[in-house]
Amino acid sequence: MTMKTLTRLLPGDELCRMPALELRKRYRERSLSPVEVVEAQIAQAERVEPVVNAFTETFFEAALAQAREAEARYGGRGEVRPLEGLTVAVKDVYDQVGGRTTRGSRVVESPVAEADHPVVARIRAAGGILHARSTTSEFAMGWITATKAWGVTRNPWNTDVTPGGSSGGSAASLAAGTSTLAIGGDSAGSVRVPASMCGIAGYKPPHGRVPDPDEGHDVYSVIGPMGQTVGDCALLLNVISGCHAADMHSLRERVAVPEGLGSGSRPRLAVSFDLGPTGPEAGVRRVLDEAVARLAAAGAEIGHPAIDWPGDITEAASHHALVMLGDAITRYFPDRAEELSPYLVWQREQLEGARVSALAEERACAQRLYAQLEPVLRDHDALLCPTTLVNDVGAEQMPWERMEVNGVSLNTDYDWVTTHAFNMLGVLPVLTVPVGRAENGIPVGVQVVARSFDDITAFRAAAFIEAVMGAG
């Protein structure tokens, strides 16, 4: 057994990674107990955490007590709630009673929280077992999850490779079998990129669907569910979504994604793989092409519309993130710069060149982008795009390091991901669904983009893709 593939070869993996909907079904049938699963996931964490490093804090004794309570509820002694007995990892940017919110940083004052973030409170009230807090890149900025505060988080499929960022710990814990569900934050792709890299499902809901008093003012930023399957994401979304008084951006319209998403007509899918600085590298492209062929063979109507993707998407989105983080970076310079991650030090250098006029350019770019996508989304159920151009970025690779993809030199910052375009159009729902693994053994995910606020159509298309790619 090599260290590179550690968790894929450990015992108990099938039980630890069983989808939430399947676990809930077995709990109801009394053929499986929440105690068995939580014990297995704790044992799995004890084996893999020294290498994968997906957690900042764990609450295993409390989790076992909650699992025993859930077992009693499934036995008829109390109400069975939507997330009863299911473990949920909480990203280390959302307050959780009894836990510390460090935002992946040594410089943040992080006393034990006395109140839950609204999303965490909803998970707790729905019976979710809050057993661990998951790692993030510092201040949730960066496409790898490596900080001076918590060390390097690694991809369970290959521990030399990053699980992505910034919700890398959430995705890695799901892939490693140490959590059943997780939440992440996504302001440029921080749910979808880790989901793709780790072979799980992740959802960027329309802005406002899930309340976030902390970051809800940023129209790029959302909180999203992560799980083994599309259905698991729907289950968690239905718990955490809905208006909350503390977030004036939260939507009053309540959308419940139904179970049984795979039924219904075959979707009309548009395909575009050319939205980045270059196309996906050959190994990723082969997986995506095979997925499209299988979807067509299964009855999906496939279109290849010509989309003139604006060439300044990456510059506009990365500038937005830089400006939003600017104050948080600047306040720690020069006094505590040595405590910050290299990524933030590098970002500080980029911030010195930021222009006020770029904000207007960013808005204009988003308008041009939507003008291109609106007719495509009007004529199709969903648009399919790659989530990343490559899938083997190193666990400690720095953003200024260059990669060559299809003869084009790319940096390790925004150049290798293709998610941020849809944060610029924040009301579009987007799922990432795993569609296979490249020859290097690392997963590949596809983005499923639907019309504004049309969560259900996005989930139906994604469930169809998942059902086809899971067959055979």
Side-chain angles (χ1 to χ4, degrees), residues 66 81-91 94-96 116-132 181-184 210 223-226 235-241:
Q66 288 178 266
R81 299 162 293 181
L83 301 181
E84 199 70 64
L86 303 173
T87 56
V88 186
V90 175
K91 185 177 179 179
Y94 307 117
D95 283 353
Q96 173 182 337
D116 285 332
H117 184 284
V119 163
V120 177
R122 288 175 176 179
I123 292 169
R124 193 187 298 278
I129 297 176
L130 301 170
H131 70 309
L181 296 166
I183 58 170
V210 178
I223 296 173
M226 306 171 78
L235 172 67
L236 185 52
L237 177 70
N238 288 342
V239 167
I240 65 177
S241 64

Side-chain angles (χ1 to χ4, degrees), residues 103 117 186-187 207-208 210-223 246-250 320-321 323-328 331 362 423 426:
R103 299 182 65 81
H117 184 284
D186 191 315
S187 62
H207 181 75
V210 178
D212 186 8
D214 300 330
E215 302 290 343
H217 59 278
D218 180 0
V219 296
Y220 282 35
S221 182
V222 295
I223 296 173
D247 179 8
M248 70 175 184
H249 293 272
S250 58
H320 176 91
V323 170
M324 293 301 291
L325 188 66
D327 179 62
R331 75 177 71 174
E362 170 194 322
N423 295 86

Side-chain angles (χ1 to χ4, degrees), residues 67-269:
R68 287 188 284 270
E69 179 189 343
E71 182 181 61
R73 286 176 179 261
Y74 280 107
R77 296 190 292 279
E79 175 193 5
V80 173
R81 299 162 293 181
L83 301 181
E84 199 70 64
L86 303 173
T87 56
V88 186
V90 175
K91 185 177 179 179
D92 177 30
V93 295
Y94 307 117
D95 283 353
Q96 173 182 337
V97 170
R100 295 170 56 238
T101 301
T102 73
R103 299 182 65 81
S105 182
R106 286 180 175 177
V107 302
V108 171
E109 298 296 330
S110 51
V112 174
E114 297 181 355
D116 285 332
H117 184 284
V119 163
V120 177
R122 288 175 176 179
I123 292 169
R124 193 187 298 278
I129 297 176
L130 301 170
H131 70 309
R133 295 180 61 74
S134 58
T135 55
T136 176
S137 47
E138 192 166 15
F139 293 118
M141 289 290 292
W143 297 106
I144 65 169
T145 301
T147 67
K148 291 184 177 180
W150 299 109
V152 180
T153 300
R154 299 180 180 278
N155 193 319
W157 293 92
N158 183 327
T159 55
D160 289 337
V161 171
T162 184
S166 62
S167 307
S170 290
S173 69
L174 290 167
T178 57
S179 301
T180 297
L181 296 166
I183 58 170
D186 191 315
S187 62
S190 290
V191 163
R192 289 160 289 152
V193 169
S196 180
M197 293 291 289
C198 291
I200 53 106
Y203 183 48
K204 183 204 82 66
H207 181 75
R209 180 72 69 215
V210 178
D212 186 8
D214 300 330
E215 302 290 343
H217 59 278
D218 180 0
V219 296
Y220 282 35
S221 182
V222 295
I223 296 173
M226 306 171 78
Q228 299 293 345
T229 67
V230 172
D232 286 1
C233 288
L235 172 67
L236 185 52
L237 177 70
N238 288 342
V239 167
I240 65 177
S241 64
C243 186
H244 192 282
D247 179 8
M248 70 175 184
H249 293 272
S250 58
L251 300 170
R252 298 195 179 280
E253 176 198 18
R254 189 81 163 84
V255 172
V257 181
E259 293 189 26
L261 290 161
S263 59
S265 59
R266 301 295 183 251
R268 298 165 299 155
L269 303 175

Side-chain angles (χ1 to χ4, degrees), residues 54 64 70 142 144 165 190-191 243 300-301 311 322 331 352 365 394 427 441 447:
L64 284 169
I144 65 169
S190 290
V191 163
C243 186
E301 180 182 326
L322 188 65
R331 75 177 71 174
E352 292 175 356
C365 177
V427 295
Q447 290 187 91

Side-chain angles (χ1 to χ4, degrees), residues 189-465:
S190 290
V191 163
R192 289 160 289 152
V193 169
S196 180
M197 293 291 289
C198 291
I200 53 106
Y203 183 48
K204 183 204 82 66
H207 181 75
R209 180 72 69 215
V210 178
D212 186 8
D214 300 330
E215 302 290 343
H217 59 278
D218 180 0
V219 296
Y220 282 35
S221 182
V222 295
I223 296 173
M226 306 171 78
Q228 299 293 345
T229 67
V230 172
D232 286 1
C233 288
L235 172 67
L236 185 52
L237 177 70
N238 288 342
V239 167
I240 65 177
S241 64
C243 186
H244 192 282
D247 179 8
M248 70 175 184
H249 293 272
S250 58
L251 300 170
R252 298 195 179 280
E253 176 198 18
R254 189 81 163 84
V255 172
V257 181
E259 293 189 26
L261 290 161
S263 59
S265 59
R266 301 295 183 251
R268 298 165 299 155
L269 303 175
V271 175
S272 180
F273 291 165
D274 61 349
L275 71 163
T278 182
E281 66 87 22
V284 172
R285 181 64 189 251
R286 276 191 288 273
V287 175
L288 295 172
D289 284 341
E290 179 184 351
V292 171
R294 290 178 63 178
L295 294 171
E301 180 182 326
I302 305 293
H304 295 272
I307 299 175
D308 185 13
W309 296 95
D312 55 346
I313 292 174
T314 295
E315 181 182 359
S318 59
H319 182 271
H320 176 91
L322 188 65
V323 170
M324 293 301 291
L325 188 66
D327 179 62
I329 298 175
T330 303
R331 75 177 71 174
Y332 299 113
F333 285 86
D335 295 342
R336 304 186 69 179
E338 72 283 351
E339 297 178 69
L340 298 172
S341 68
Y343 184 84
L344 289 189
V345 175
W346 181 77
Q347 284 283 67
R348 161 70 183 217
E349 296 171 0
Q350 312 309 305
L351 185 61
E352 292 175 356
R355 298 173 291 109
V356 173
S357 61
L359 295 174
E361 295 166 8
E362 170 194 322
R363 191 162 56 246
C365 177
Q367 290 171 333
R368 294 195 309 275
L369 175 60
Y370 187 67
Q372 289 291 317
L373 295 187
E374 189 279 328
V376 175
L377 297 175
R378 185 196 325 138
D379 294 340
H380 300 84
D381 296 308
L383 168 67
L384 304 190
C385 300
T387 307
T388 67
L389 302 180
V390 299
N391 71 342
D392 60 353
V393 170
E396 300 180 70
Q397 198 163 322
M398 291 293 103
W400 54 85
E401 296 182 39
R402 309 298 297 188
M403 304 176 285
E404 187 167 295
V405 178
N406 304 323
V408 178
S409 178
L410 307 180
N411 67 31
T412 314
D413 196 31
Y414 277 69
D415 280 356
W416 68 285
V417 302
T418 57
T419 48
H420 43 279
F422 307 112
N423 295 86
M424 297 178 70
L425 306 178
V427 295
L428 302 185
V430 190
L431 286 119
T432 281
V433 183
V435 291
R437 283 186 281 164
E439 289 89 339
N440 60 16
I442 301 167
V444 174
V446 66
Q447 290 187 91
V448 183
V449 186
R451 292 176 292 270
S452 58
F453 300 110
D454 194 355
D455 305 64
I456 292 176
T457 296
F459 270 92
R460 288 198 189 282
F464 175 83
I465 295 166

